[in-house]
Amino acid sequence: MKDNNCIFCLIANGNIPSRTVMENEKFRVILDLGPATAGHALVLPKEHFGDLFEIPADWAADAMKTAQEAAALIKEKLQADGLNIVQNNGETAGQTVHHFHMHIIPRYKGDGQNILWKPGKPSDAELDGVLEKIKA
Ligand code: 5GP
Ligand code: ZN
């Protein structure tokens, strides 16, 4: 299903022009308008799924395959030193557009970006408690 009020549905289906890196039957990969680095791209499904919890498993698998293909192309053509795949779900996690997407972020030595986190220092008991909750 497409949502005509969703900007990424409109872009993915070609109703709004975009800088398309590659496209297949189910996905369009476009350049991000606010890139972290040169070549930062977004993998957009042509159907509307809000986030990781809404996208069906077969679409999620195909999204990763498409991301892998686009990442290899971008890394090679732009001579990147590394590459991050980022996928945000929910506003707390930084999602601003509520149409599932994967970020492909090529990395260059000295690019000044920091797509890392501050490591915590939980006790063994705290780690065990978390694991118990997940497995209960
Ligand atoms: P999120 O924060 O939801 O994970 O990522 C949304 C991304 O979409 C941001 O990196 C933002 O720069 C990008 N973006 C938002 N609107 C547009 C648009 O209209 N066109 C393109 N190409 N990128 C967009
Ligand atoms: Zn959408």
Side-chain angles (χ1 to χ4, degrees):
M1 217 186 70
K2 283 124 185 123
D3 176 351
N4 280 335
N5 296 315
C6 168
I7 181 126
F8 279 3
C9 277
L10 294 170
I11 292 174
N13 289 283
N15 301 112
I16 292 178
S18 63
R19 290 181 178 83
T20 297
V21 172
M22 57 166 280
E23 168 177 30
N24 57 36
E25 196 190 328
K26 287 172 138 178
F27 298 89
R28 182 186 294 269
V29 182
I30 63 166
L31 288 186
D32 195 301
L33 283 184
T37 62
H40 180 166
L42 303 170
V43 179
L44 308 181
K46 294 182 180 180
E47 297 284 324
H48 183 85
F49 310 111
D51 59 22
L52 182 70
F53 307 104
E54 287 185 11
I55 191 167
D58 58 331
W59 277 81
D62 287 343
M64 181 54 93
K65 281 188 204 161
T66 303
Q68 185 183 38
E69 195 181 327
L73 176 73
I74 290 168
K75 185 170 185 290
E76 189 203 326
K77 293 292 175 85
L78 298 183
Q79 294 284 289
D81 301 305
L83 189 139
N84 294 107
I85 297 277
V86 176
Q87 200 277 309
N88 299 327
N89 299 283
E91 280 163 25
T92 306
Q95 186 178 12
T96 58
V97 181
H98 296 275
H99 174 120
F100 175 93
H101 54 279
M102 296 170 79
H103 295 259
I104 295 172
I105 306 176
R107 301 300 304 276
Y108 308 92
K109 284 190 187 99
D111 64 24
Q113 289 292 355
N114 185 6
I115 306 171
L116 298 174
W117 53 88
K118 188 163 59 85
K121 286 185 184 161
S123 65
D124 282 349
E126 283 168 328
L127 285 173
D128 289 343
V130 171
L131 187 59
E132 255 170 49
K133 273 192 195 164
I134 293 169
K135 295 186 111 179

